[in-house]
Amino acid sequence: MTVRTRFAPSPTGYLHIGGVRTALFNWLFAKGQGGQFILRVDDTDQQRNVDAALQPILNGFRWLGMDWDEGPEVGGPHEPYYQSQRGEKYQAAVESLLASGAAYRDFATIDEIQAEREAAQAAGEQFTYSRKWMAESDEQAKQFESEGRQGVVRLKMPNDGELVHQDLVRGEVRFEWAREQDHVIQRADGSCLYHLATVVDDADMQISHVIRAEEHLSNTPRQVFIAQQLGCEPPQFAHLPYVAEPGSKNKLSKRKLDKYLKNRDFAQLKQHGETIATRLNLAVDPDTFNPVIVDFYEQIGYLPDALLNYLLLLGWSLDAETEEFTREEMIKQFSLDRVNKAPASFDPQKLMAFQDRAMQQLPIKQKVAKVLPFLQQAGHIDDPPPCETAPKLTQILEAAGDRVKVAGDILDYTDFYVSDEELPYDEKTVEKPLRTPDDAKSLLTEFRAQLAALESFEPEELEKCLKSFVEEKGIKIGQIIHALRVAVTGKAVGFGMFETLAILGRERSLARIDRALTL
């Protein structure tokens, strides 16, 4: 059997972290088994679909490097891959279920169904629809329609026995048929619901394994019933634990951002992103610029492999020690029998640890390539970049070390790119090192003269020069170095002072000191 998995995002919102984790497990399982991963669009709910949401979902998968073998923008032998375009197939399935007696036309109103439900509750009994308004013939259906009733199609579920289901994650699961309702599979307007559409599509697209979130476990009986009644072999099911809120066992939701911001690590993650977005002049949309949405991580410069590596461990483990995997190792090692049953909490701090390690391990040429687009987007470097860009960026990144944790952090060092005349000096930053000490400017003036006279402007010579100056003047290094840093960068903190001067070069460093002396 060829392994074929699928992920069916609904364009009613943006790509959620939990959804990506589910898609990742499908992708890894298919790739590891030499099979195919199919992407199809669950757009049957036309009222909730957001036209602008589909492309970001596809772009998100592209950014993550999770290619699909069949689906939108790729095509394949089972087109179309949009459920909204597969209505004829669903209608044929409805007619087949009606003809076999596995489904029926029902003309009950919402109020009548609700009255039966409330009566069952009042009697302390489980609600089971009476099928009082079931049309058992075309003539009866016409009679109901003449009364102004609108008909839907419901499954005619068994009322005794049980379904014994072997889940690939949860083991044996049993469902009593008597507890299953006669679920609606086609609305009065003729549109079909998810439960029917997904079964028809899985059969048509030869899906072998349905790997999905555990909230769909309760859908399994009706979907197995539909498949069996249509004469199809149901796929194998694996129900994954959900991704939980930070520090909680509640399901992570993109609609509870305010709640998550009470978590310090989550709040810091969002603030970090907002700082980068501000420097990029991004118009932040609160619906999408959210650490629960994948697009957030792309915009601020996370590495796709770091994000996937972290998501892999939310509900799966190889052993008690191994945490870091290359993409190839993820594919090779992943198996459903190592998926945990318990939910795993989303930990922003641990995610950053994965990102930080991956960023520091990145070869310098690749790191330059990752940060360059952020400087271009912020308007600091032209496109195409000047020939001196790569060497200068290499110097900055090597000097910054682990301070650049995500690619967007390069914007902390835009002082290397703004002109000397436009370098911003914050009043509070300038006040203490440059204005408060009586001798600050005189010391800076004298040291400027020594910098101008240096033969070499390399870090080692710059360090010797400063140490010699401090000894000669009989002062502490802090009496000059803080004023020097603010003068040439406009900031009170940064990486090594001597590396900073060397990267700026003699001419720019002296010009900035001259300007600072006028403040």
Side-chain angles (χ1 to χ4, degrees):
M1 179 183 64
T2 300
V3 169
R4 288 173 61 84
T5 66
R6 50 79 167 169
F7 184 68
S10 176
T12 56
Y14 293 86
L15 196 54
H16 182 268
I17 280 290
V20 172
R21 196 284 307 266
T22 298
L24 173 64
F25 283 16
N26 276 277
W27 187 82
L28 291 173
F29 185 71
K31 296 297 179 183
Q33 299 293 321
Q36 292 95 43
F37 172 65
I38 292 85
L39 193 66
R40 71 173 184 245
V41 182
D42 178 7
D43 55 351
T44 55
D45 192 345
Q46 292 296 309
Q47 292 183 342
R48 294 181 61 225
N49 288 341
V50 179
D51 292 338
L54 178 58
Q55 197 58 50
I57 289 174
L58 301 181
N59 292 345
F61 280 112
R62 296 286 191 201
W63 173 68
L64 290 165
M66 291 171 58
D67 54 303
W68 54 99
D69 299 289
E70 298 174 26
E73 300 181 350
V74 172
H78 303 288
E79 290 185 305
Y81 292 93
Y82 294 85
Q83 290 187 328
S84 60
Q85 300 173 18
R86 298 173 61 83
E88 290 184 3
K89 293 180 180 291
Y90 306 146
Q91 184 59 44
V94 168
E95 291 172 1
S96 175
L97 292 170
L98 286 170
S100 68
Y104 62 91
R105 298 188 186 280
D106 182 63
F107 291 84
T109 66
I110 294 175
D111 290 340
E112 288 163 344
I113 294 289
Q114 183 60 25
E116 287 197 3
R117 181 175 286 107
E118 290 174 356
Q121 290 174 345
E125 299 173 351
Q126 178 191 320
F127 165 66
T128 302
Y129 176 44
S130 67
R131 300 176 181 168
K132 180 178 178 180
W133 291 273
M134 175 178 68
E136 300 192 61
S137 65
D138 290 342
E139 291 73 18
Q140 193 172 11
K142 291 176 182 178
Q143 176 61 39
F144 282 134
E145 288 170 349
S146 69
E147 297 172 6
R149 293 175 177 270
Q150 292 185 316
V152 299
V153 176
R154 292 182 182 274
L155 294 175
K156 196 172 186 179
M157 301 296 289
N159 54 24
D160 56 8
E162 63 180 5
L163 169 68
V164 180
H165 164 63
Q166 193 66 34
D167 191 275
L168 297 178
V169 170
R170 301 182 177 277
E172 185 177 278
V173 185
R174 293 175 176 267
F175 301 93
E176 294 180 32
W177 287 119
R179 302 186 68 85
E180 286 295 311
Q181 302 299 321
D182 287 358
H183 305 284
V184 175
I185 57 172
Q186 187 175 47
R187 303 179 183 91
D189 63 4
S191 61
C192 293
L193 277 74
Y194 158 79
H195 302 295
L196 177 80
T198 193
V199 173
V200 172
D201 291 345
D202 284 346
D204 188 50
M205 297 177 188
Q206 301 173 3
I207 301 302
S208 64
H209 294 75
V210 171
I211 305 169
R212 59 187 183 181
E214 68 176 346
E215 64 226 49
H216 291 285
L217 182 61
S218 62
N219 297 333
T220 305
R222 73 199 73 166
Q223 292 171 2
V224 168
F225 176 78
I226 293 171
Q228 291 174 339
Q229 297 303 313
L230 290 174
C232 306
E233 181 68 26
Q236 296 184 63
F237 289 92
H239 288 91
L240 310 175
Y242 56 79
V243 177
E245 299 172 349
S248 168
K249 294 300 181 183
N250 297 321
K251 184 183 175 185
L252 185 70
S253 168
K254 58 189 173 186
R255 297 179 181 86
K256 296 181 179 179
L257 181 59
D258 290 343
K259 176 183 177 182
Y260 304 151
L261 291 176
K262 295 176 183 177
N263 176 284
R264 183 188 63 182
D265 295 334
F266 196 95
Q268 287 178 346
L269 174 59
K270 188 169 189 297
Q271 185 177 29
H272 186 188
E274 288 174 342
T275 299
I276 294 171
T278 299
R279 290 171 178 165
L280 289 172
N281 297 314
L282 288 178
V284 173
D285 181 347
D287 291 333
T288 60
F289 202 75
N290 178 341
V292 178
I293 303 297
V294 168
D295 191 52
F296 172 89
Y297 298 94
E298 180 180 8
Q299 290 188 69
I300 68 175
Y302 269 67
L303 298 174
D305 281 6
L307 181 58
L308 292 182
N309 195 158
Y310 174 68
L311 292 178
L312 171 67
L313 299 177
L314 290 181
W316 180 89
S317 62
L318 179 63
D319 51 45
E321 299 176 354
T322 312
E323 286 195 334
E324 293 189 39
F325 300 87
T326 65
R327 191 171 293 237
E328 292 73 22
E329 289 169 341
M330 292 185 209
I331 293 171
K332 181 180 179 180
Q333 298 291 354
F334 181 80
S335 62
L336 289 171
D337 61 345
R338 293 188 179 274
V339 176
N340 303 316
K341 296 179 183 179
S345 178
F346 177 75
D347 185 343
Q349 193 173 39
K350 189 166 185 179
L351 170 58
M352 175 53 79
F354 275 88
Q355 166 62 25
D356 190 12
R357 284 197 298 269
M359 196 69 171
Q360 305 324 315
Q361 293 167 5
L362 206 62
I364 192 65
K365 286 186 178 180
Q366 293 182 34
K367 194 178 291 189
V368 167
K370 292 291 183 183
V371 304
L372 180 59
F374 287 83
L375 289 167
Q376 291 175 318
Q377 189 175 347
H380 298 307
I381 293 180
D382 294 334
D383 186 10
C387 59
E388 68 271 14
T389 297
K392 185 174 181 179
L393 255 180
T394 298
Q395 286 181 291
I396 294 170
L397 287 167
E398 288 178 341
D402 62 3
R403 291 177 177 86
V404 177
K405 299 182 183 304
V406 303
D409 286 342
I410 193 64
L411 300 176
D412 286 341
Y413 305 101
T414 54
D415 45 292
F416 289 104
Y417 294 97
V418 297
S419 67
D420 302 332
E421 297 77 14
E422 294 177 347
L423 179 70
Y425 289 105
D426 178 78
E427 283 294 317
K428 291 182 179 179
T429 303
V430 167
E431 186 64 31
K432 187 174 180 180
L434 272 177
R435 292 177 181 162
T436 302
D438 294 335
D439 59 349
K441 288 190 176 181
S442 62
L443 288 171
L444 190 57
T445 300
E446 291 184 59
F447 185 63
R448 183 219 184 273
Q450 295 202 11
L451 288 176
L454 279 177
E455 291 185 10
S456 171
F457 219 71
E458 294 302 315
E460 296 80 8
E461 293 303 315
L462 290 164
E463 184 176 5
K464 290 179 184 178
C465 179
L466 183 64
K467 286 182 177 179
S468 175
F469 179 79
V470 167
E471 291 175 6
E472 178 187 333
K473 290 295 179 181
I475 62 174
K476 294 180 179 179
I477 195 168
Q479 290 176 254
I480 179 65
I481 200 166
H482 298 309
L484 179 61
R485 181 179 295 282
V486 169
V488 299
T489 68
K491 298 183 292 189
V493 295
F495 55 72
M497 189 70 257
F498 311 112
E499 288 86 352
T500 298
L501 290 168
I503 294 169
L504 281 170
R506 186 194 312 269
E507 183 178 338
R508 296 192 71 189
S509 296
L510 297 178
R512 290 185 176 190
I513 292 173
D514 290 340
R515 182 181 168 212
L517 289 170
T518 66
L519 297 174

